C-alpha cells in the first residue's frame, strides 16, 4: 500500500511523477528555446556579415583619379584600333592585347583601389602637415596583393572557359579562341575583385549571390557578364557579316559591358544593392 502524505493527502508516487513530468517539460521548453536562439544567432550573423560589406572607395589622390578616368578611354581606344585585325584573325590579336590589358588593370588596382586587408580609412587618409607618409610597407604589400590577384585570375580562367562551353561556346573547335576570351573576361572583371577582397569567403559569397553593394569593381563584373551574354545574340543571325564569327561579338560585349557597369557602379548606382 503506497504511503499517503498527511499534509497534501496524496500518494508520494503521484507527487514524484508530477515532479518528473514538470522537469521534463522544463527541459523540452529550454531545449526549444536554445534551438531558436541558435537559429536566430546564425541568421543574425549572416545578415550582419552581409551588412558589413561596404562598397569600395576609390583613393582620392590625383594619380588615382587620373588613372580612374583614363582607363576607360585607354581600353576603348585599344579595342577600336585593333577591331579590324580582331575580325580578321582573333587569336593573335587577343593574345597580344592580353599583356597590355593586364598592365592597365594592374596600374588601376595599385593606384586606385584599396588592397585586401587594407582599411579604407587608411588608404584614403591624407597626411597631416609635416607628417611623412610611410609608403615602404604599404607599397610592398599592395604589390604582393596584386601578384596574388593575378595568380588567382589565372587559376579561374580555365573554369570560365568551361562555363562558356556550357553556355554554348565551341568545345571541340576554337579552343584557343574561347580560352583567350575567358582570359580577357577574367582579367577585366575578376582581377579587381581579387585585389580588393582577396579570398574573403563572406565577401565572395555576397559577390557570387549578387548581394554585394555596387561600386566600380562589382559593377564591372555585373556589366561584363551581362555584356558577354548580350554579345552572343548576333552570332546565330543570318546577316553574313565577318564580325559575327566567334568570339568577336562576345569580346565586344565583355569590354562594353565592363566599362558601362564600372562607370555606372562607381557613380549613379554606387552603394546600391540588387
Amino acid at each position: 500500500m503506497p504511503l499517503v502524505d498527511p499534509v497534501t493527502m496524496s500518494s508520494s508516487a503521484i507527487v514524484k511523477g508530477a515532479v518528473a513530468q514538470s522537469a521534463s517539460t522544463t527541459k523540452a521548453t529550454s531545449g526549444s528555446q536554445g534551438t531558436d536562439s541558435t537559429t536566430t544567432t546564425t541568421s543574425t550573423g549572416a545578415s550582419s556579415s552581409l551588412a558589413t560589406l561596404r562598397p569600395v572607395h576609390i583613393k582620392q589622390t590625383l594619380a588615382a583619379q587620373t588613372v580612374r578616368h583614363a582607363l576607360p578611354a585607354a581600353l576603348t581606344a585599344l579595342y577600336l584600333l585593333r577591331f579590324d585585325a580582331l575580325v580578321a584573325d582573333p587569336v593573335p590579336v587577343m593574345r597580344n592585347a592580353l599583356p597590355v590589358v593586364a598592365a592597365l588593370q594592374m596600374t588601376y588596382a595599385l593606384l586606385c583601389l584599396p588592397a585586401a586587408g587594407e582599411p579604407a580609412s587608411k588608404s584614403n587618409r591624407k597626411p597631416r602637415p609635416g607628417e611623412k607618409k610611410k609608403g615602404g610597407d604599404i607599397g610592398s604589400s599592395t604589390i604582393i596583393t596584386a601578384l596574388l590577384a593575378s595568380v588567382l585570375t589565372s587559376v579561374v580562367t580555365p573554369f570560365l572557359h568551361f562555363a562558356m562551353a556550357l553556355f554554348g561556346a565551341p568545345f571541340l573547335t576554337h579552343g584557343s579562341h574561347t580560352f583567350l576570351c575567358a582570359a580577357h573576361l577574367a582579367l577585366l572583371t575578376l582581377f579587381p575583385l581579387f585585389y580588393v577582397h582577396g579570398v574573403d569567403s563572406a565577401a565572395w559569397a555576397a559577390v557570387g549571390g549578387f548581394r554585394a553593394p555596387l561600386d566600380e569593381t562589382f559593377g564591372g563584373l555585373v556589366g561584363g557578364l551581362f555584356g558577354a551574354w548580350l554579345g552572343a545574340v548576333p552570332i546565330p543571325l543570318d546577316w553574313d557579316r565577318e564580325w559575327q564569327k566567334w568570339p568577336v561579338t562576345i569580346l565586344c560585349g565583355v569590354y562594353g559591358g565592363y566599362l558601362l557597369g564600372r562607370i555606372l557602379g562607381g557613380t549613379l548606382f554606387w552603394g546600391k544593392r540588387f
Side-chain angles (χ1 to χ4, degrees):
M1 178 177 181
L3 298 178
V4 178
D5 191 348
V7 178
T8 62
M9 298 302 293
S10 59
S11 173
S12 60
I14 297 176
V15 173
K16 291 180 179 179
V19 171
Q21 184 178 3
S22 176
S24 62
T25 304
T26 304
K27 290 181 180 179
T29 304
S30 62
S32 62
Q33 291 177 352
T35 304
D36 294 341
S37 63
T38 303
T39 305
T40 305
T41 303
T42 304
S43 60
T44 304
S47 60
S48 63
S49 63
L50 179 61
T52 55
L53 185 61
R54 304 295 183 187
V56 176
H57 291 269
I58 304 299
K59 294 180 181 179
Q60 298 302 314
T61 62
L62 179 60
Q65 294 301 315
T66 302
V67 172
R68 175 192 184 188
H69 293 95
L71 180 64
L75 290 175
T76 304
L78 175 65
Y79 188 85
L80 293 178
L81 289 174
R82 301 296 295 165
F83 181 77
D84 292 337
L86 177 68
V87 173
D89 195 357
V91 172
V93 174
M94 288 192 293
R95 184 178 58 245
N96 295 333
L98 203 59
V100 180
V101 178
L104 291 174
Q105 289 292 87
M106 185 82 69
T107 304
Y108 167 68
L110 290 173
L111 295 180
C112 301
L113 300 178
E118 179 183 352
S121 59
K122 185 176 180 180
S123 61
N124 291 326
R125 186 179 70 86
K126 296 181 179 179
R128 299 175 181 176
E131 179 185 3
K132 293 183 179 180
K133 185 176 180 180
K134 298 179 179 180
D137 297 336
I138 297 177
S140 61
S141 64
T142 53
I143 292 175
I144 293 174
T145 303
L147 293 177
L148 291 177
S150 302
V151 173
L152 292 174
T153 303
S154 302
V155 171
V156 171
T157 299
F159 294 96
L160 286 179
H161 182 184
F162 182 71
M164 284 184 173
L166 292 179
F167 277 93
F171 183 70
L172 299 179
T173 61
H174 298 79
S176 57
H177 297 67
T178 307
F179 182 82
L180 288 171
C181 183
H184 279 265
L185 177 62
L187 193 57
L188 289 174
T189 62
L190 293 179
F191 172 77
L193 288 168
F194 279 127
Y195 181 82
V196 170
H197 298 302
V199 291
D200 186 358
S201 58
W204 281 103
V207 170
F210 290 93
R211 297 173 297 165
L214 284 170
D215 51 39
E216 285 195 5
T217 58
F218 184 55
L221 173 66
V222 175
L225 293 178
F226 180 74
W229 173 80
L230 195 63
V233 173
I235 294 179
L237 301 179
D238 55 349
W239 293 344
D240 296 330
R241 295 290 188 266
E242 186 69 15
W243 50 263
Q244 287 180 269
K245 65 183 181 182
W246 180 265
V248 176
T249 58
I250 303 293
L251 198 65
C252 180
V254 168
Y255 273 81
Y258 167 74
L259 293 175
L260 183 61
R262 178 181 172 275
I263 293 173
L264 292 179
T267 54
L268 187 60
F269 300 110
W270 189 88
K272 297 182 179 180
R273 301 174 186 266
F274 287 104

